[in-house]
Amino acid sequence: MKQNEMLAMILAGGRGSRLHDLTNKVAKPAVSYGGKYRIIDFPLSNCANSGISTVGVLTQYESVLLGSYAAKSGLWGLDTKDSGVYVLPPREKADSDLDVYRGTADAITQNIDFIDNYDPEYLLVLSGDHIYKMNYDKMLAYHKAQNAAATIAVMPVTLEEATRFGIMITDEDNKIIDFEEKPAHPRSTLASMGIYVFDWAKLRALLIKDKDDENSSHDFGNDIIPALLNGGEKLVAFKFEGYWKDVGTIDSLWEANMDLLDENNELNLNDPTWRIYTEDAAPLPAYIGPDAEIGAAYITQGTRVEGEVKNSVIFTGAEVGKGAHIIDSVLMPGVKVAEGATVTRALIANDIKVSKDAVVGSADSKEILLVAQDV
Amino acid sequence: MKQNEMLAMILAGGRGSRLHDLTNKVAKPAVSYGGKYRIIDFPLSNCANSGISTVGVLTQYESVLLGSYAAKSGLWGLDTKDSGVYVLPPREKADSDLDVYRGTADAITQNIDFIDNYDPEYLLVLSGDHIYKMNYDKMLAYHKAQNAAATIAVMPVTLEEATRFGIMITDEDNKIIDFEEKPAHPRSTLASMGIYVFDWAKLRALLIKDKDDENSSHDFGNDIIPALLNGGEKLVAFKFEGYWKDVGTIDSLWEANMDLLDENNELNLNDPTWRIYTEDAAPLPAYIGPDAEIGAAYITQGTRVEGEVKNSVIFTGAEVGKGAHIIDSVLMPGVKVAEGATVTRALIANDIKVSKDAVVGSADSKEILLVAQDV
Amino acid sequence: MAKAFGIITSSADKKVAGLQEYRSIGAFSFLGRYRVIDFPISNFSNSNINNIQVYIASMPRSMVEHIGTGRHYNINSKRGKIQILFPDQTMANEVYNTNIKNFRRNIEQIKKMEKEYVVIAPSCMIFAQDYDALLQDHAQSGSDITLLYHKVTDAKKGYATCNVLDLDGNRVKGISACLSDKDEENIFMESYVMKTELLYSLIEKAAAVSSIYSLSDIVNAELKNMDVRAVEHKGFFAPITSLRTYLKANIDLINPENSDDLFKKDWPIYTRTTDACPTQYYATTSVKNSLISNGCLIKGTVENSVIGRGAVIEEGAVVKNCVISAYDKIGKGAVLENQVVDKYATINDGTKVIAPAATPGYIKYRDKL
Amino acid sequence: MAKAFGIITSSADKKVAGLQEYRSIGAFSFLGRYRVIDFPISNFSNSNINNIQVYIASMPRSMVEHIGTGRHYNINSKRGKIQILFPDQTMANEVYNTNIKNFRRNIEQIKKMEKEYVVIAPSCMIFAQDYDALLQDHAQSGSDITLLYHKVTDAKKGYATCNVLDLDGNRVKGISACLSDKDEENIFMESYVMKTELLYSLIEKAAAVSSIYSLSDIVNAELKNMDVRAVEHKGFFAPITSLRTYLKANIDLINPENSDDLFKKDWPIYTRTTDACPTQYYATTSVKNSLISNGCLIKGTVENSVIGRGAVIEEGAVVKNCVISAYDKIGKGAVLENQVVDKYATINDGTKVIAPAATPGYIKYRDKL
């Protein structure tokens, strides 16, 4: 696409409180995933691969790590002369006091001045905590071809799942005729993925109106999309098929990691035409010791494995001692499992130490055990 | 110096309200200077040239332009694997609500978590709105040689000027024995430049104590330096000789620009061993038209001069029409002076248009005229 | 993302006296702050062609340093790449040093591109061109190859080492050296659009027919078997084929009418910055109709000239119709007319070097006179 | 900021069968994800030597792409620079291709460095060295030159193209080829610290005496006129001088005792990232005592081997004591022992290639067998 024809804004302010101790110190988009990535690498790499030059990352809660990470725009090649990743927490202005972002739409409203600097025709609004690969340039082409005011990416879910999502009711031309937030009795199974392309001029006008509306929660799903629909604007659904995951809970984060053990997983991180970029820690390749027993596993560089690893994902800097057993588990970055310890159906948080001969988790547990303190 | 032995934090939150309309839209550190620079280029280039890898820029008021500018760490070569410029506005944390920086020291206190990530031995605290060249590595070497808890850069001023500065009273070994903020009757002429090297561990402990002190204004000059002195810590003065300017007013900003017309000015921006780096707008060289009359002038690339320019500084993108006269003036970026207009003893703000045959400013005016609206 | 990758050829067949002893034409400085290669690379970058191969015939150092990883050309280093490709070994007999030979040497790198189309541009010509538009136009036309040409009315001057297209409408009937005595000619801009598959087969065919065939030779030989179409380029065009045309291209672009045509707001020409400060002018100076780069000290008289970064023009010096390169020192009272002064040269106080406009002089790299 | 600039020599005098046909030793991949040149560049960067010249003898493409602008080596591009310097023209008779000739060709670039000292390191040897400490040590000693050496007890094996130092205490009495029948020798690590002025004069002297003199030759010849001191290097050291030593250096570093000695937390070895995903291991796999890069699919058996990025080891394949390079495919049931497999090679299902450890085999770039 042309330079700055479409600007991307990533909503990365979520507290992710259902991830418990994993998000005590880092915002959810900075949580580690897939051996070497952080969740926000996915929307950022998608932007880079879709030819988008300028990305704003809207942070809010506990953003120091997320902020300094996203600021390294070179990780995604977004550091050329006219491109950049800009971290945008709430800020004080001449005409308003310092205030938190009151909702997803307010986060954009508070950064209208930033967006105006680039004078884009289209605005892409993304969430910072979903795992998926998507070509936003194709979505923009669809938006243009449909001559829509807004295009919303949707994916088919089951009727049961549909009760947990914003659901789009469309006609045969993918035109959105109605929208329901978490309906008890869904009229459609097309769930919004929280990915929007807007005509910037139209959205801008609407945001300025919404800003002072006391009845508004300043949210895209609750306020802006309904306002567009009620205003008679053309909204279309862009159908996505492929891997998409909101890793909102420990179970779903574990599951998303386990998905990678299937060689034919839909996400396919090994696709040379659509790489996910991340920080490279410059360590050695994975060291697999003389007595190691490796089964199905997903292991990244900078690890040392001297024990058994089966059906598990081992992140950068993790170590598995001699005679230790890692079964159906996820070892996040820097985890050290000492000799003889056994870890089963557990997700061990960053830099945790599992001591010699400790037994953690169990094969029969229904839920995945989160270990966030040394054991 | 060793990677991250010393981290730099630039205080860039000033409203700069004495610069009037120049700082309506941009924070003072982002104000243009010297044809092609912004003020914050000076501390950032000094950091790069002193071998500092990691710089935090503490922004507050109207920081969108300053923030996106400072985030382009590659401009100062600070985008290598382990270096970066990080923009740090106030942010919400798990244990505290979103709040503005309450003082210079509080700005550091609110970012202790950021600094701790890099585990530096020393912290360099700088101001974002001074124009000067300085090797902070030499200052650090002095700090270490003196085995000080804090080192403060000072420069000699006149007794009259001394009443406007924080004044350091030192013994013959440059040890600071007392400190006076804007004294009516100065006991010394060594003015603090607002440049500090601290032992991070000592400062950190002090900041945590200061944070909850209700009598503190959370300011380095008012609170932290006196507390160190009272605590019996060794503070030393590091003497600076050379060009240093706080461009707090329109007159001083104009004057600082005019200083560049003297080939032997002390600042010497043409020094190949200590370049000041800035954004390169990739325009053509300066076009000097067939009827131009150029006298003593400082003109950067991307300009078009077809009239007369005498004793003036012409910034990127500025244009001077045929028969126009620019005398003793500063044309900020993007200023267009139409044919036949005359500009005398004026500072024309960014992107202002001076219309055909307009007359702006006068040779007899005591103060420099700031032109911030099209005339 | 464009469906094409870009190739910039070395233009090793062009010979510019003096300058070329120290670097290839692509690495020549141009208009004070650019290098000639900035134009084809910026054209590709602006056309969304982010995979670019730059072929180098010899003396690669300055080109490698200038191009770097291409960030300053706005190429996302994760999605795109500027790759510099070197010849195996320069042959003593220059006729062997063809672009076909260079392509063959690097054929594995061409095969890695995996793009349907290739756009080929020369490193020695100054012009702006939207190759994305040309690519779409080419695909729609159904032709095998699209070539770009520029209609000139001064063909007798300055195009000696260029080729011309013999056209029947927009069909190309022949490609031949510009030796005619006509004023009007269609100068071939050495720019091609074709499918990558076709380039492979032309490379193989050329090698099979003759060891000294270049790409234009094989295209010319195959004209009867292919549909080769020409598109006319409009706007500023300057091939750098001699010292005179180099000087002329620089001086022509002082005129805002020409520079406004080449440097458009939506078509930036990127280059590497050197962090030079603005230029200092003195009370004694007189500057007329010139382009002045940053970092200079100008005390003397400059007319109709292009002055490179960091040059010093001392008091009383007179510089007319010249290209002064970076870091040159022009001494007090020195007089230069119609000269191309290479980098780091020193003209001593009072030295006078004057040449006629038709045969400009060249002053060597680091020379003192 | 160090008071020295760094030079990395091309090591064109070393000959590694096979691999070197495609790239110089500095560009060899090493331990799956590094290249040999990463070690000397990281040593300089970690020693605060930010102005680095890398001399290249031939086949520069992969080296130029790998080094880029040096950002990944933590070199601030505004204050420092990694400069790649090319030979004028490779001479047909290899004896002429000395480092002195390459220095002379690029003498203007050396003169631009404006640093008091120069540190010279080879591109073909794997070791960690704090050159800043060595520089301070050199300055304090008052010697003219400081050389670095490593004491070995297996001099008969693997150092054939290295030189040894003849020492009297720490005074160097002679530099000569390692041809001795002794086991203990002081292998010269081709690393020098001296004043830049002395390097100039040695370059001039060497050229005056013999066209085939290299830097070590002229230093040896001048030993009687200078105070040349040697410092012993401790820690992991592996010169890459043959296919056998290349394989051995890789396999030795599987052992954490060796790798912990070379890769220290405060002495990172930088390299360029390729954004490969983690490696996928299957239920059928058996991996023991190996280093496995990212992006691989491992279904078969791997023992005592180093596996490069993106390699595929199919079910039933057995790889022992091998270096498998990036993007190799080892087919089902194939057996490889003591092999160095170059990049992009395919070993078909069932193929067996077994060599003795003393004379390992080499499988060519892009070969299929």
Side-chain angles (χ1 to χ4, degrees):
Chain A
M1 82 188 61
K2 270 180 285 176
Q3 196 75 27
N4 288 325
E5 181 182 11
M6 181 161 76
L7 211 73
M9 297 291 263
I10 301 181
L11 300 163
R15 283 203 184 219
S17 44
R18 285 180 300 151
L19 285 173
H20 306 284
D21 290 343
L22 279 187
T23 49
N24 272 355
K25 287 277 167 185
V26 300
K28 184 174 162 195
V31 165
S32 299
Y33 166 75
K36 60 179 290 200
Y37 307 96
R38 292 181 190 273
I39 297 173
I40 200 168
D41 288 329
F42 288 83
L44 282 168
S45 301
N46 287 340
C47 283
N49 290 337
S50 302
I52 290 170
S53 317
T54 304
V55 183
V57 177
L58 301 157
T59 61
Q60 182 132 280
Y61 162 76
E62 265 311 333
S63 50
V64 68
L65 193 149
L66 174 62
S68 13
Y69 182 72
K72 290 176 171 280
S73 43
L75 296 183
W76 309 277
L78 292 167
D79 60 341
T80 67
K81 188 161 188 329
D82 294 331
S83 67
V85 178
Y86 300 97
V87 179
L88 301 166
R91 67 205 138 78
E92 194 187 13
K93 280 167 222 128
D95 57 353
S96 67
D97 283 338
L98 182 60
D99 196 5
V100 296
Y101 293 142
R102 297 172 296 167
T104 53
D106 185 55
I108 305 293
T109 310
Q110 286 201 35
N111 287 288
I112 286 178
D113 54 351
F114 171 82
I115 298 168
D116 282 349
N117 273 345
Y118 298 90
D119 191 23
E121 265 185 83
Y122 304 98
L123 189 78
L124 174 68
V125 176
L126 303 171
S127 163
D129 43 14
H130 298 156
I131 293 165
Y132 65 108
K133 298 193 301 194
M134 184 171 174
N135 189 334
Y136 307 129
D137 196 25
K138 287 195 176 155
M139 183 166 169
L140 175 62
Y142 186 78
H143 177 86
K144 288 190 209 169
Q146 292 282 326
N147 201 16
T151 299
I152 303 175
V154 298
M155 63 173 181
V157 294
T158 63
L159 253 183
E160 194 201 325
E161 289 173 317
T163 58
R164 295 189 288 111
F165 284 98
I167 294 299
M168 300 293 158
I169 296 102
T170 58
D171 67 12
E172 63 278 15
D173 298 324
N174 293 326
K175 206 181 139 197
I176 296 170
I177 50 177
D178 205 356
F179 163 79
E180 298 175 321
E181 186 67 35
K182 297 180 186 159
H185 306 285
R187 290 154 57 201
S188 145
T189 53
L190 292 177
S192 166
M193 299 164 71
I195 300 169
Y196 309 94
V197 171
F198 292 104
D199 273 30
W200 172 234
K202 283 187 181 153
L203 177 65
R204 191 181 188 285
L206 203 58
L207 289 175
I208 287 173
K209 250 172 77 181
D210 174 79
K211 185 180 159 193
D212 300 321
D213 181 349
E214 289 185 9
N215 297 319
S216 173
S217 58
H218 314 292
D219 182 271
F220 279 107
N222 288 340
D223 309 287
I224 301 299
I225 299 303
L228 280 166
L229 271 178
N230 295 338
E233 293 287 357
K234 182 173 179 189
L235 272 68
V236 298
F238 177 72
K239 277 188 196 151
F240 173 80
E241 304 207 343
Y243 190 94
W244 182 90
K245 198 124 190 172
D246 179 349
V247 289
T249 63
I250 295 296
D251 273 15
S252 66
L253 178 60
W254 176 87
E255 210 174 86
N257 277 292
M258 287 296 139
D259 287 342
L260 298 169
L261 295 175
D262 176 2
E263 176 182 12
N264 301 312
N265 72 78
E266 258 188 309
L267 186 58
N268 189 12
L269 293 173
N270 207 5
D271 175 4
T273 70
W274 202 271
R275 285 247 178 262
I276 303 303
Y277 315 112
T278 188
E279 189 162 38
D280 181 50
L284 277 170
Y287 167 67
I288 312 290
D291 304 317
E293 292 283 343
I294 312 287
Y298 204 64
I299 304 178
T300 195
Q301 63 196 11
T303 50
R304 287 193 181 190
V305 177
E306 305 194 64
E308 184 189 17
V309 173
K310 292 266 160 75
N311 283 312
S312 295
V313 179
I314 312 294
F315 287 56
T316 312
E319 295 183 12
V320 177
K322 278 186 194 154
H325 304 274
I326 312 296
I327 315 289
D328 299 330
S329 292
V330 173
L331 304 191
M332 301 283 270
V335 167
K336 314 280 183 228
V337 177
E339 291 178 26
T342 300
V343 175
T344 314
R345 281 181 68 75
L347 189 148
I348 317 282
N350 301 43
D351 299 317
I352 292 302
K353 289 186 175 54
V354 176
S355 58
K356 196 156 175 282
D357 301 328
V359 176
V360 170
S362 115
D364 317 318
S365 67
K366 190 166 165 274
E367 293 196 339
I368 296 306
L369 178 69
L370 168 66
V371 180
Q373 285 193 310
D374 291 357
V375 282
Chain B
M1 83 188 62
K2 270 180 286 174
Q3 196 75 26
N4 288 325
E5 181 181 12
M6 181 162 76
L7 212 73
M9 298 291 266
I10 301 181
L11 300 162
R15 282 201 183 221
S17 44
R18 285 180 301 152
L19 285 173
H20 306 285
D21 290 344
L22 279 186
T23 49
N24 271 355
K25 287 277 168 186
V26 301
K28 184 174 161 197
V31 165
S32 299
Y33 166 75
K36 61 179 289 200
Y37 306 96
R38 292 181 190 273
I39 297 173
I40 200 168
D41 289 328
F42 288 83
L44 282 168
S45 301
N46 287 340
C47 283
N49 290 338
S50 302
I52 291 171
S53 317
T54 304
V55 183
V57 176
L58 301 156
T59 61
Q60 182 133 278
Y61 163 76
E62 265 311 335
S63 51
V64 68
L65 192 149
L66 174 62
S68 12
Y69 182 71
K72 289 175 173 280
S73 43
L75 296 182
W76 308 278
L78 292 167
D79 60 340
T80 67
K81 187 161 189 329
D82 294 332
S83 67
V85 178
Y86 300 98
V87 179
L88 302 166
R91 66 206 139 77
E92 195 186 11
K93 279 167 220 126
D95 57 354
S96 66
D97 283 337
L98 182 60
D99 197 5
V100 297
Y101 293 142
R102 296 172 296 166
T104 52
D106 186 55
I108 305 294
T109 310
Q110 287 202 35
N111 286 288
I112 286 178
D113 53 352
F114 170 82
I115 298 168
D116 282 349
N117 273 344
Y118 298 91
D119 192 24
E121 265 184 84
Y122 304 98
L123 189 78
L124 174 68
V125 176
L126 303 171
S127 162
D129 43 15
H130 298 156
I131 293 165
Y132 65 108
K133 299 194 301 196
M134 184 170 173
N135 190 335
Y136 307 129
D137 196 24
K138 287 194 176 156
M139 184 168 168
L140 175 62
Y142 186 77
H143 176 87
K144 287 189 212 171
Q146 292 283 325
N147 201 16
T151 299
I152 303 175
V154 298
M155 61 172 183
V157 294
T158 63
L159 254 183
E160 194 201 326
E161 290 173 316
T163 59
R164 295 190 287 110
F165 283 98
I167 294 299
M168 299 293 156
I169 296 103
T170 58
D171 67 10
E172 63 278 15
D173 299 324
N174 293 325
K175 206 182 139 194
I176 295 170
I177 51 178
D178 205 357
F179 164 78
E180 298 175 322
E181 186 67 34
K182 297 179 187 159
H185 306 287
R187 290 155 57 200
S188 146
T189 53
L190 291 178
S192 165
M193 300 164 72
I195 300 170
Y196 308 94
V197 172
F198 291 104
D199 271 30
W200 172 234
K202 284 187 180 153
L203 177 65
R204 192 181 187 284
L206 204 58
L207 289 175
I208 286 173
K209 250 172 76 180
D210 174 78
K211 186 180 158 193
D212 299 321
D213 181 349
E214 289 187 6
N215 297 318
S216 173
S217 58
H218 314 293
D219 182 90
F220 279 106
N222 288 338
D223 309 287
I224 301 300
I225 299 303
L228 279 166
L229 271 178
N230 295 338
E233 294 286 357
K234 183 172 180 188
L235 272 69
V236 298
F238 177 72
K239 276 190 195 150
F240 173 81
E241 303 204 346
Y243 190 94
W244 183 90
K245 199 124 190 174
D246 177 349
V247 289
T249 63
I250 296 297
D251 273 16
S252 65
L253 178 60
W254 176 86
E255 209 173 271
N257 277 292
M258 286 296 137
D259 286 343
L260 298 169
L261 296 175
D262 176 3
E263 175 182 10
N264 300 313
N265 73 78
E266 258 187 309
L267 186 58
N268 188 13
L269 293 173
N270 207 5
D271 175 3
T273 69
W274 202 271
R275 286 249 179 260
I276 303 304
Y277 316 111
T278 188
E279 189 162 37
D280 181 52
L284 277 171
Y287 167 68
I288 312 290
D291 305 317
E293 292 282 346
I294 313 287
Y298 204 64
I299 304 178
T300 194
Q301 62 196 12
T303 50
R304 287 192 181 191
V305 177
E306 306 194 64
E308 183 188 18
V309 173
K310 293 266 160 72
N311 283 312
S312 295
V313 179
I314 313 294
F315 286 57
T316 311
E319 295 184 12
V320 178
K322 280 187 192 153
H325 304 273
I326 312 297
I327 315 289
D328 298 330
S329 292
V330 173
L331 304 191
M332 301 283 271
V335 168
K336 313 281 182 226
V337 178
E339 292 178 26
T342 300
V343 175
T344 314
R345 280 181 70 74
L347 189 148
I348 318 282
N350 300 44
D351 299 318
I352 292 302
K353 290 187 174 55
V354 177
S355 58
K356 195 157 176 282
D357 300 328
V359 177
V360 170
S362 115
D364 317 317
S365 67
K366 190 165 164 278
E367 292 196 338
I368 296 305
L369 178 70
L370 169 67
V371 180
Q373 284 192 311
D374 290 356
V375 283
Chain C
M1 235 50 66
K3 287 182 296 182
F5 74 102
I7 282 179
I8 299 176
T9 51
S10 73
S11 301
D13 52 327
K14 305 286 182 294
K15 298 295 159 207
V16 177
L19 288 167
Q20 213 168 356
E21 279 174 42
Y22 300 95
R23 77 288 276 173
S24 57
I25 297 178
F28 284 12
S29 69
F30 190 73
L31 278 193
R33 67 181 308 244
Y34 298 95
R35 290 190 191 246
V36 174
I37 196 85
D38 292 334
F39 293 84
I41 296 180
S42 298
N43 282 338
F44 280 144
S45 174
N46 290 331
S47 304
N48 268 323
I49 295 176
N50 297 321
N51 286 281
I52 303 170
Q53 297 187 330
V54 178
Y55 285 82
I56 288 189
S58 60
M59 292 171 295
R61 186 191 57 77
S62 55
M63 194 81 115
V64 167
E65 284 181 23
H66 183 72
I67 292 177
T69 51
R71 276 204 297 161
H72 47 296
Y73 296 110
N74 242 5
I75 307 283
N76 180 313
S77 60
K78 297 289 183 181
R79 281 307 278 181
K81 186 173 181 180
I82 302 193
Q83 197 178 22
I84 300 172
L85 296 167
F86 303 86
D88 201 359
Q89 198 136 345
T90 316
M91 305 298 279
N93 189 336
E94 285 196 357
V95 293
Y96 287 107
N97 297 326
T98 66
N99 48 21
I100 293 285
K101 181 160 171 289
N102 215 342
F103 294 152
R104 278 170 64 82
R105 156 71 181 156
N106 292 290
I107 197 75
E108 297 288 2
Q109 301 303 319
I110 294 180
K111 286 189 174 159
K112 274 190 191 163
M113 284 288 137
E114 293 181 355
K115 296 275 184 184
E116 190 179 356
Y117 291 95
V118 57
V119 178
I120 300 173
S123 61
C124 67
M125 294 180 179
I126 307 284
F127 59 89
Q129 171 66 39
D130 183 343
Y131 286 114
D132 196 33
L134 192 67
L135 186 64
Q136 284 174 35
D137 187 65
H138 170 80
Q140 271 175 18
S141 76
S143 307
D144 295 308
I145 307 182
T146 296
L147 305 180
L148 208 59
Y149 71 96
H150 195 94
K151 214 170 250 183
V152 303
T153 54
D154 58 346
K156 284 180 206 156
K157 300 185 200 161
Y159 303 96
T161 49
C162 291
N163 284 321
V164 297
L165 298 186
D166 177 15
L167 297 180
D168 175 6
N170 64 5
R171 280 274 308 194
V172 179
K173 313 294 284 178
I175 306 173
S176 55
C178 181
L179 304 168
S180 84
D181 52 3
K182 289 190 291 182
D183 282 323
E184 282 199 16
E185 281 288 6
N186 302 317
I187 303 295
F188 175 38
M189 293 167 76
E190 302 181 22
S191 299
Y192 310 73
V193 182
M194 66 181 91
K195 289 210 166 156
T196 308
E197 283 300 325
L198 180 56
L199 178 63
Y200 295 152
S201 80
L202 289 172
I203 291 170
E204 291 314 308
K205 271 186 192 154
V209 177
S210 163
S211 300
I212 63 167
Y213 256 25
S214 68
L215 183 58
S216 62
D217 291 328
I218 189 68
V219 170
N220 186 48
E222 293 287 313
L223 280 175
K224 57 193 174 303
N225 304 323
M226 301 188 297
D227 175 14
V228 179
R229 205 173 64 104
V231 168
E232 188 184 352
H233 168 266
K234 302 276 194 183
F236 186 85
F237 168 65
I240 309 296
T241 56
S242 65
L243 193 68
R244 196 186 62 75
T245 54
Y246 171 74
L247 179 59
K248 182 176 184 301
N250 274 280
I251 290 185
D252 282 353
L253 283 163
I254 297 171
N255 187 339
E257 271 182 38
N258 290 324
S259 63
D260 285 348
D261 184 58
L262 182 62
F263 296 89
K264 292 207 163 73
K265 198 170 181 303
D266 64 348
W267 204 262
I269 305 300
Y270 299 108
T271 190
R272 174 180 289 280
T273 181
T274 58
D275 301 300
C277 65
T279 277
Q280 193 122 32
Y281 299 78
Y282 292 76
T284 53
T285 199
S286 165
V287 181
K288 310 275 180 196
N289 199 46
S290 293
L291 288 175
I292 317 282
S293 303
N294 272 3
C296 301
L297 304 179
I298 313 259
K299 300 180 181 175
T301 296
V302 177
E303 278 177 36
N304 301 316
S305 294
V306 172
I307 310 292
R309 260 188 332 275
V312 177
I313 316 288
E314 290 289 357
E315 217 173 311
V318 177
V319 172
K320 284 189 186 171
N321 302 310
C322 288
V323 168
I324 304 297
S325 302
Y327 312 112
D328 287 340
K329 312 269 176 240
I330 315 299
K332 286 181 191 167
V335 179
L336 297 176
E337 271 181 50
N338 296 309
Q339 299 295 318
V340 172
V341 185
D342 207 333
K343 289 207 251 184
Y344 293 100
T346 302
I347 311 300
N348 293 322
D349 293 357
T351 303
K352 287 193 169 66
V353 190
I354 297 175
T359 56
Y362 167 74
I363 293 171
K364 282 167 80 168
Y365 178 68
R366 290 189 181 277
D367 219 356
K368 290 184 171 56
L369 51 85
Chain D
M1 234 51 66
K3 287 182 297 181
F5 73 101
I7 282 179
I8 300 175
T9 51
S10 73
S11 302
D13 52 328
K14 306 285 183 294
K15 298 295 159 206
V16 178
L19 288 167
Q20 212 168 358
E21 279 174 42
Y22 301 95
R23 76 290 275 173
S24 56
I25 297 178
F28 284 12
S29 70
F30 190 73
L31 277 194
R33 67 182 308 245
Y34 299 94
R35 290 189 190 248
V36 174
I37 196 86
D38 292 334
F39 293 83
I41 296 180
S42 298
N43 282 338
F44 280 144
S45 174
N46 291 330
S47 304
N48 268 323
I49 294 177
N50 297 320
N51 286 280
I52 303 169
Q53 298 188 331
V54 178
Y55 286 82
I56 289 190
S58 60
M59 293 171 293
R61 186 190 57 77
S62 56
M63 194 82 115
V64 167
E65 284 181 22
H66 183 71
I67 293 177
T69 51
R71 275 203 298 160
H72 47 296
Y73 296 109
N74 242 6
I75 307 283
N76 180 314
S77 60
K78 297 289 182 182
R79 281 307 277 181
K81 186 173 180 180
I82 301 193
Q83 197 179 22
I84 300 172
L85 295 168
F86 303 87
D88 201 0
Q89 198 137 344
T90 316
M91 305 298 278
N93 190 336
E94 285 195 357
V95 292
Y96 287 106
N97 297 326
T98 66
N99 47 22
I100 293 285
K101 181 160 172 288
N102 215 342
F103 295 152
R104 279 170 63 83
R105 156 70 180 158
N106 292 289
I107 196 75
E108 297 288 2
Q109 302 302 320
I110 294 180
K111 286 188 175 159
K112 274 192 191 163
M113 283 289 136
E114 293 181 355
K115 295 274 183 186
E116 190 180 356
Y117 290 95
V118 57
V119 179
I120 300 174
S123 62
C124 67
M125 294 181 179
I126 307 284
F127 59 88
Q129 172 65 39
D130 183 342
Y131 286 115
D132 197 32
L134 193 67
L135 186 63
Q136 284 174 35
D137 186 67
H138 170 79
Q140 271 174 17
S141 76
S143 307
D144 295 308
I145 306 183
T146 296
L147 305 180
L148 208 59
Y149 71 95
H150 194 94
K151 212 171 253 185
V152 303
T153 54
D154 58 345
K156 284 181 206 156
K157 300 186 201 161
Y159 302 96
T161 49
C162 290
N163 284 321
V164 296
L165 299 185
D166 178 15
L167 297 181
D168 176 6
N170 65 5
R171 280 273 309 192
V172 179
K173 313 295 284 178
I175 306 173
S176 56
C178 180
L179 304 167
S180 84
D181 52 2
K182 289 189 290 181
D183 282 323
E184 281 197 18
E185 281 287 6
N186 301 316
I187 303 295
F188 175 38
M189 293 167 75
E190 302 181 20
S191 298
Y192 309 73
V193 182
M194 66 181 93
K195 288 208 167 159
T196 308
E197 283 301 325
L198 179 57
L199 178 64
Y200 295 152
S201 80
L202 289 173
I203 291 171
E204 291 314 308
K205 271 186 194 154
V209 177
S210 163
S211 299
I212 64 167
Y213 255 27
S214 68
L215 183 60
S216 61
D217 291 327
I218 188 67
V219 170
N220 186 47
E222 292 288 313
L223 279 175
K224 56 192 174 303
N225 305 322
M226 300 187 298
D227 175 14
V228 179
R229 206 174 61 106
V231 168
E232 187 184 351
H233 168 266
K234 301 277 193 183
F236 187 85
F237 168 65
I240 309 296
T241 56
S242 65
L243 193 67
R244 197 186 61 76
T245 54
Y246 171 75
L247 179 60
K248 182 176 183 304
N250 274 280
I251 290 184
D252 282 353
L253 283 163
I254 297 172
N255 187 338
E257 272 182 39
N258 291 324
S259 64
D260 285 349
D261 184 57
L262 182 61
F263 297 88
K264 292 207 164 72
K265 200 170 179 301
D266 64 348
W267 205 261
I269 304 301
Y270 299 108
T271 189
R272 173 181 289 280
T273 181
T274 58
D275 301 300
C277 66
T279 277
Q280 192 120 35
Y281 298 79
Y282 293 77
T284 53
T285 198
S286 166
V287 182
K288 310 276 181 197
N289 199 46
S290 294
L291 288 176
I292 316 281
S293 303
N294 272 2
C296 299
L297 304 179
I298 313 260
K299 299 181 182 175
T301 296
V302 177
E303 278 177 37
N304 301 317
S305 295
V306 173
I307 311 292
R309 259 189 331 275
V312 177
I313 315 287
E314 290 290 358
E315 217 172 311
V318 177
V319 172
K320 284 188 184 172
N321 303 310
C322 289
V323 169
I324 303 297
S325 302
Y327 313 113
D328 287 340
K329 312 267 176 243
I330 315 299
K332 287 181 190 164
V335 178
L336 297 175
E337 271 181 50
N338 296 309
Q339 299 295 318
V340 172
V341 185
D342 208 333
K343 289 207 250 183
Y344 294 101
T346 302
I347 310 299
N348 294 321
D349 293 356
T351 303
K352 288 193 168 64
V353 191
I354 298 176
T359 57
Y362 167 74
I363 294 172
K364 282 167 79 168
Y365 177 69
R366 290 189 181 276
D367 218 356
K368 290 185 170 55
L369 51 86

